[in-house]
Amino acid sequence: MPFPREQLESACGEKLCKSETIKLRNKHIGQACQLFYRSDPLKIVRGQGQYMFDEQGTCYLDCINNVAHVGHCHPKVVRAGCLQMATISTNNRFLHDELVQCAKTLTGKMPGPLSVCFFVNSGSEANDLALRLARNYTKRQDMITLDHAYHGHLTSVMEISPYKFNQPGGDPKPDYVHVAPCPDVYGGTYRDIDYPNADMAEIYTKPIRDICDQLKAQGKGLAGFIAESLQSCGGQIIPPEGYFKAAYDIVRNAGGVCIADEVQVGFGRVGTHYWAFETQGVVPDIVCVAKPMGNGHPVGAVVTTPEIAEAFYNTGVAYFNTYGGNPVSCAIANAVMRVIDEEGLQENARVVGDYLLQQCREFKYEFDIIGDVRGLGLFVGLELVKNRETREPDTTAALWIVNRMKQVHQILVSSDGPNANVIKLKPPMCFSQKNADEFLLAFRECLTFLEKQRDGDHLPASNAVNSNSTTANGESMASKAQIFERQERLIKSV
């Protein structure tokens, strides 16, 4: 690897103290750009594998970073990016092998009809382009999205993201966007306890059918249906079996196309399959990928059928993206896909994910606050409730646990869902069974402490570590000399 001395200096030579960093951020960065742990934000200066390190050298187990898909600073990914950057980086209107190899590999992992790529820089861009493709192909405007969905931050995709436009101050939903309920059988519009022995896929797809019928009655047609294959911001939702097959049939019968947003859950995260939509036995018309594709580098793609791509070409309007598909981005994406295969990370997600889910389900026998445990592979959600019978969400407890996991155990988790009561886990794919045990031990401590200390809805005022406490991962650096030692090992491993 080049620049070993600079790497050491970057990791160990703090340019600004944390308070100065915060002061400059408050002055020059828009306040709408939110931080994790806003009351006590982390200053992360280095990452390796499934770990991140702050400016004091404290090591945190990363259970939420689905961007660093194959692990922070994976040496093969770093090497591929550095080599290509030192060679040439230009736009994709020149021929280069990394682009076509990336397209070949990516489409080779898709079902047969999905064989044409468009490269972009992010998930937001991918979903924006998917909307353009769908509307151009069908010559229609109306789209169906799911409640609580998040598809990006561009204007076009904010319009199909109830997770955003339903917030106070959000722009109103356009008339051409139609919202179907999120297929959450535990806490959603239609709960399995309210419909015993019912076909929940049929119940949740009926609103989609109703929207299509209403559009037809109005003399309109449907452009398409977009959905995350597994809804993340909506609370780690696993749709009921058969949901997408039924939904896709309804949409296609109405003349629309089906878009799978795999930005958060693709590239083997579900363990059993490379793409999450495959777990439902469906083939979308358009697939959007991004985040994990670049392991932290901004790269994404839209994959579609030759027919939809041909219709887009026939508009006569050329598609040009200055940075989408540049050689550096494609070299990095190629390296990520090679690492997934070479290191068996999809299988690791299946094995470790199954173990993690099994152990988390055991918590339900001990702690009444655990309402539901759900997931596929390394995509796990733990829903916290005040009462199992009513399934009333416990938002306060979820936030308290997120903070305690960070402050006491140096483990990073987050909460989400419409009530922010779902602890969600989406760690790097190198997450091991040892890491799972580390999380389980810490999470058990939080639940036990919570159970003993709670008084109604009143939680302990502080999560501060006392003088006798020890971290769950057992790792804390005493001085900056130890940072040098760890960085030395990192560079040698590269």
Side-chain angles (χ1 to χ4, degrees):
M1 281 292 298
F3 317 127
R5 180 179 297 277
E6 287 85 347
Q7 279 186 288
L8 286 171
E9 291 175 352
S10 176
C12 306
E14 189 181 355
K15 297 181 178 68
L16 299 172
C17 68
K18 184 175 176 178
S19 62
E20 290 174 331
T21 302
I22 292 172
K23 187 182 298 183
L24 280 176
R25 182 182 175 97
N26 289 339
K27 182 177 180 180
H28 297 295
I29 304 299
Q31 292 299 302
C33 301
Q34 294 183 348
L35 289 163
F36 285 129
Y37 310 104
R38 276 172 281 178
S39 62
D40 182 26
L42 288 173
K43 183 176 181 179
I44 297 297
V45 299
R46 183 167 70 86
Q48 183 176 2
Q50 58 273 58
Y51 300 101
M52 297 197 296
F53 301 83
D54 70 12
E55 82 285 1
Q56 297 297 322
T58 305
C59 175
Y60 294 89
L61 176 62
D62 183 0
C63 296
I64 56 175
N65 207 313
N66 64 331
V67 178
H69 192 64
V70 300
H72 293 278
C73 303
H74 193 288
K76 292 183 179 179
V77 177
V78 173
R79 182 183 297 116
C82 287
L83 179 60
Q84 186 58 55
M85 188 179 293
T87 305
I88 183 65
S89 183
T90 185
N91 66 59
N92 65 15
R93 291 198 288 185
F94 296 100
L95 288 171
H96 63 85
D97 291 347
E98 294 289 355
L99 172 69
V100 295
Q101 288 295 338
C102 189
K104 179 182 178 182
T105 302
L106 186 59
T107 56
K109 295 181 180 298
M110 295 277 179
L114 296 163
S115 58
V116 182
C117 291
F118 296 89
F119 286 95
V120 295
N121 303 295
S122 68
S124 295
E125 278 195 17
N127 286 327
D128 172 80
L129 179 56
L131 294 179
R132 289 177 60 192
L133 291 171
R135 285 166 170 157
N136 174 74
Y137 184 70
T138 62
K139 309 304 179 187
R140 297 165 179 166
Q141 179 80 353
D142 289 70
M143 293 292 304
I144 297 176
T145 186
L146 297 181
D147 204 6
H148 313 309
Y150 174 62
H151 294 291
H153 60 80
L154 300 179
T155 299
S156 60
V157 290
M158 290 279 282
E159 291 179 347
I160 56 167
S161 298
Y163 182 78
K164 289 295 185 182
F165 67 62
N166 279 338
Q167 292 185 15
D171 291 334
K173 177 185 72 64
D175 292 339
Y176 49 79
V177 173
H178 310 274
V179 180
C182 168
D184 176 4
V185 300
Y186 181 80
T189 304
Y190 309 111
R191 306 183 303 171
D192 51 10
I193 57 170
D194 301 322
Y195 296 86
N197 304 314
D199 184 343
M200 297 306 293
E202 181 178 350
I203 288 173
Y204 266 108
T205 52
K206 183 181 182 302
I208 297 175
R209 188 185 304 277
D210 291 343
I211 292 170
C212 292
D213 290 344
Q214 291 165 10
L215 288 173
K216 184 177 180 180
Q218 296 168 9
K220 298 180 180 180
L222 180 67
F225 166 64
I226 184 168
E228 298 164 89
S229 302
L230 305 173
Q231 205 176 79
S232 178
C233 292
Q236 304 294 89
I237 302 304
I238 313 298
E241 184 177 355
Y243 171 80
F244 276 115
K245 186 178 188 307
Y248 280 20
D249 286 345
I250 293 167
V251 168
R252 285 168 173 156
N253 287 337
V257 298
C258 301
I259 304 170
D261 181 343
E262 291 269 332
V263 169
Q264 304 233 38
V265 294
F267 293 92
R269 177 162 294 278
V270 297
T272 55
H273 299 79
Y274 205 81
W275 308 110
F277 67 75
E278 294 177 296
T279 64
Q280 291 256 331
V282 296
V283 179
D285 302 298
I286 302 171
V287 180
C288 302
V289 298
K291 290 182 190 295
M293 185 176 177
N295 209 55
H297 181 86
V299 58
V302 177
V303 185
T304 190
T305 65
E307 293 76 15
I308 292 175
E310 181 71 14
F312 193 51
Y313 168 74
N314 287 336
T315 63
V317 180
Y319 176 73
F320 171 62
N321 189 316
T322 302
Y323 297 109
N326 72 78
V328 174
S329 295
C330 289
I332 288 172
N334 283 328
V336 168
M337 289 187 282
R338 283 196 299 271
V339 169
I340 293 171
D341 294 341
E342 292 169 359
E343 298 186 4
L345 295 183
Q346 179 181 328
E347 175 66 5
N348 182 69
R350 185 189 68 80
V351 172
V352 176
D354 285 352
Y355 173 77
L356 183 59
L357 278 164
Q358 178 186 353
Q359 296 301 311
C360 285
R361 285 174 179 139
E362 295 292 324
F363 285 150
K364 293 183 68 175
Y365 297 104
E366 300 180 60
F367 305 101
D368 290 339
I369 195 173
I370 303 292
D372 192 36
V373 176
R374 52 184 177 261
L376 290 173
L378 289 176
F379 179 90
V380 176
L382 309 170
E383 183 149 358
L384 306 186
V385 296
K386 294 180 179 180
N387 183 301
R388 280 190 180 174
E389 291 185 7
T390 64
R391 301 185 178 181
E392 181 184 356
D394 199 333
T395 302
T396 304
L399 177 61
W400 184 86
I401 287 175
V402 167
N403 286 326
R404 184 172 181 84
M405 290 288 281
K406 170 209 166 213
Q407 294 170 357
V408 176
H409 300 287
Q410 284 76 58
I411 296 178
L412 306 182
V413 298
S414 64
S415 61
D416 220 324
N419 298 296
N421 68 313
V422 180
I423 303 296
K424 63 179 187 179
L425 306 175
K426 297 180 296 181
M429 295 277 280
C430 51
F431 200 76
S432 67
Q433 185 170 320
K434 180 181 177 182
N435 298 141
D437 286 334
E438 187 177 335
F439 164 80
L440 292 163
L441 181 65
F443 194 62
R444 175 188 291 279
E445 187 277 337
C446 290
L447 295 175
T448 302
F449 190 85
L450 181 63
E451 190 174 70
K452 290 181 179 179
Q453 299 295 323
R454 292 180 72 182
D455 178 15
D457 288 334
H458 299 289
L459 297 176
S462 174
N463 267 323
V465 185
N466 63 44
S467 59
N468 296 320
S469 67
T470 58
T471 64
N473 64 17
E475 182 165 7
S476 178
M477 297 182 184
S479 68
K480 292 213 171 182
Q482 290 175 289
I483 303 180
F484 277 96
E485 293 175 7
R486 288 179 173 274
Q487 189 70 18
E488 290 260 28
R489 290 199 294 272
L490 171 64
I491 293 170
K492 288 177 182 176
S493 71
V494 173

Short mmCIF file of all heavy atoms in Angstrom, two decimals, residues 21-35 38:
data_model
loop_
_atom_site.label_atom_id
_atom_site.label_comp_id
_atom_site.label_asym_id
_atom_site.label_seq_id
_atom_site.Cartn_x
_atom_site.Cartn_y
_atom_site.Cartn_z
N THR A 21 -13.94 20.45 16.47
CA THR A 21 -14.63 19.85 15.33
C THR A 21 -16.12 20.15 15.40
O THR A 21 -16.74 20.51 14.39
CB THR A 21 -14.39 18.33 15.30
OG1 THR A 21 -12.99 18.07 15.25
CG2 THR A 21 -15.07 17.70 14.09
N ILE A 22 -16.69 19.99 16.59
CA ILE A 22 -18.12 20.26 16.77
C ILE A 22 -18.43 21.73 16.51
O ILE A 22 -19.41 22.07 15.85
CB ILE A 22 -18.56 19.86 18.19
CG1 ILE A 22 -18.50 18.34 18.36
CG2 ILE A 22 -19.96 20.37 18.50
CD1 ILE A 22 -18.74 17.85 19.77
N LYS A 23 -17.55 22.61 16.99
CA LYS A 23 -17.76 24.04 16.81
C LYS A 23 -17.76 24.41 15.32
O LYS A 23 -18.62 25.17 14.85
CB LYS A 23 -16.68 24.82 17.55
CG LYS A 23 -16.89 26.34 17.57
CD LYS A 23 -15.75 27.05 18.29
CE LYS A 23 -15.66 26.61 19.74
NZ LYS A 23 -14.59 27.37 20.46
N LEU A 24 -16.80 23.87 14.57
CA LEU A 24 -16.73 24.16 13.14
C LEU A 24 -17.92 23.55 12.39
O LEU A 24 -18.45 24.16 11.45
CB LEU A 24 -15.42 23.62 12.56
CG LEU A 24 -14.18 24.48 12.79
CD1 LEU A 24 -12.94 23.78 12.25
CD2 LEU A 24 -14.34 25.85 12.13
N ARG A 25 -18.32 22.34 12.80
CA ARG A 25 -19.48 21.72 12.15
C ARG A 25 -20.72 22.57 12.36
O ARG A 25 -21.50 22.81 11.43
CB ARG A 25 -19.70 20.31 12.68
CG ARG A 25 -20.87 19.58 12.01
CD ARG A 25 -21.11 18.20 12.57
NE ARG A 25 -22.30 17.63 11.97
CZ ARG A 25 -22.30 16.79 10.94
NH1 ARG A 25 -21.14 16.41 10.41
NH2 ARG A 25 -23.43 16.30 10.45
N ASN A 26 -20.94 23.03 13.60
CA ASN A 26 -22.10 23.85 13.89
C ASN A 26 -22.10 25.15 13.09
O ASN A 26 -23.16 25.68 12.74
CB ASN A 26 -22.17 24.16 15.39
CG ASN A 26 -22.53 22.95 16.22
OD1 ASN A 26 -23.11 21.99 15.71
ND2 ASN A 26 -22.19 22.98 17.49
N LYS A 27 -20.90 25.64 12.79
CA LYS A 27 -20.80 26.91 12.07
C LYS A 27 -20.98 26.74 10.57
O LYS A 27 -21.62 27.58 9.91
CB LYS A 27 -19.45 27.56 12.37
CG LYS A 27 -19.25 28.92 11.71
CD LYS A 27 -17.91 29.55 12.10
CE LYS A 27 -17.72 30.90 11.44
NZ LYS A 27 -16.42 31.52 11.82
N HIS A 28 -20.40 25.68 10.01
CA HIS A 28 -20.31 25.59 8.55
C HIS A 28 -21.14 24.48 7.90
O HIS A 28 -21.26 24.45 6.68
CB HIS A 28 -18.85 25.40 8.14
CG HIS A 28 -17.96 26.55 8.49
ND1 HIS A 28 -18.12 27.80 7.94
CD2 HIS A 28 -16.92 26.65 9.37
CE1 HIS A 28 -17.20 28.63 8.44
NE2 HIS A 28 -16.46 27.94 9.31
N ILE A 29 -21.67 23.56 8.69
CA ILE A 29 -22.47 22.47 8.14
C ILE A 29 -23.93 22.71 8.48
O ILE A 29 -24.27 23.02 9.62
CB ILE A 29 -22.02 21.09 8.70
CG1 ILE A 29 -20.53 20.88 8.45
CG2 ILE A 29 -22.84 19.97 8.08
CD1 ILE A 29 -20.13 20.87 6.99
N GLY A 30 -24.80 22.55 7.49
CA GLY A 30 -26.22 22.81 7.71
C GLY A 30 -26.78 21.99 8.87
O GLY A 30 -26.49 20.79 8.99
N GLN A 31 -27.57 22.63 9.71
CA GLN A 31 -28.10 21.95 10.89
C GLN A 31 -29.05 20.81 10.53
O GLN A 31 -29.32 19.94 11.36
CB GLN A 31 -28.82 22.97 11.78
CG GLN A 31 -27.89 23.98 12.43
CD GLN A 31 -26.87 23.33 13.35
OE1 GLN A 31 -27.23 22.65 14.29
NE2 GLN A 31 -25.60 23.54 13.05
N ALA A 32 -29.55 20.81 9.31
CA ALA A 32 -30.41 19.69 8.88
C ALA A 32 -29.61 18.40 8.70
O ALA A 32 -30.20 17.32 8.64
CB ALA A 32 -31.12 20.05 7.57
N CYS A 33 -28.28 18.52 8.61
CA CYS A 33 -27.42 17.33 8.50
C CYS A 33 -27.20 16.77 9.91
O CYS A 33 -26.38 17.29 10.67
CB CYS A 33 -26.08 17.70 7.86
SG CYS A 33 -26.23 18.42 6.22
N GLN A 34 -27.94 15.73 10.24
CA GLN A 34 -27.95 15.24 11.61
C GLN A 34 -26.83 14.23 11.86
O GLN A 34 -26.35 13.55 10.95
CB GLN A 34 -29.30 14.59 11.93
CG GLN A 34 -30.45 15.59 11.94
CD GLN A 34 -31.76 14.96 12.33
OE1 GLN A 34 -31.88 13.73 12.39
NE2 GLN A 34 -32.76 15.78 12.60
N LEU A 35 -26.44 14.14 13.11
CA LEU A 35 -25.42 13.20 13.56
C LEU A 35 -26.06 12.04 14.30
O LEU A 35 -27.14 12.16 14.88
CB LEU A 35 -24.45 13.90 14.53
CG LEU A 35 -23.48 14.93 13.95
CD1 LEU A 35 -22.94 15.79 15.07
CD2 LEU A 35 -22.34 14.22 13.23
N ARG A 38 -26.67 12.50 18.86
CA ARG A 38 -26.54 13.95 18.79
C ARG A 38 -26.12 14.59 20.11
O ARG A 38 -25.43 15.60 20.12
CB ARG A 38 -27.86 14.56 18.29
CG ARG A 38 -27.98 14.57 16.77
CD ARG A 38 -29.35 14.99 16.33
NE ARG A 38 -30.31 13.91 16.44
CZ ARG A 38 -31.60 14.01 16.15
NH1 ARG A 38 -32.08 15.18 15.76
NH2 ARG A 38 -32.40 12.99 16.25
#
